[in-house]
Amino acid sequence: FSISEAETDEEFEARSISLLQTASNAGYAPAMYALAVCFDSGDMVVRDPILASALYKKAAEADYPKAKLSHGL
């Protein structure tokens, strides 16, 4: 993602999360994992370990190696 001078940090973060959610909903496992990391740490979103776990699981089931490691598969 790239930030422009016309975009605030908050707008950039909201756009980043929106793009990750779109890609995750489309079944892109790396986006599921990246979104899980955000929800797990509370980075750019309100921390939600339950949602993070569900996203890790979904990415792991899609054979994404980092998610398999994080989710214990």
Side-chain angles (χ1 to χ4, degrees), residues 18-46:
S18 176
L19 290 169
L20 283 173
Q21 288 173 327
T22 299
S24 176
N25 291 341
Y28 186 58
M32 292 175 208
Y33 175 79
L35 200 53
V37 170
C38 291
F39 279 107
D40 199 18
S41 66
D43 184 28
M44 299 189 287
V45 294
V46 175

Side-chain angles (χ1 to χ4, degrees), residues 8-19:
T8 67
D9 289 342
E10 292 80 17
E11 291 169 334
F12 171 75
E13 290 177 357
R15 183 170 58 89
S16 298
I17 292 298
S18 176
L19 290 169

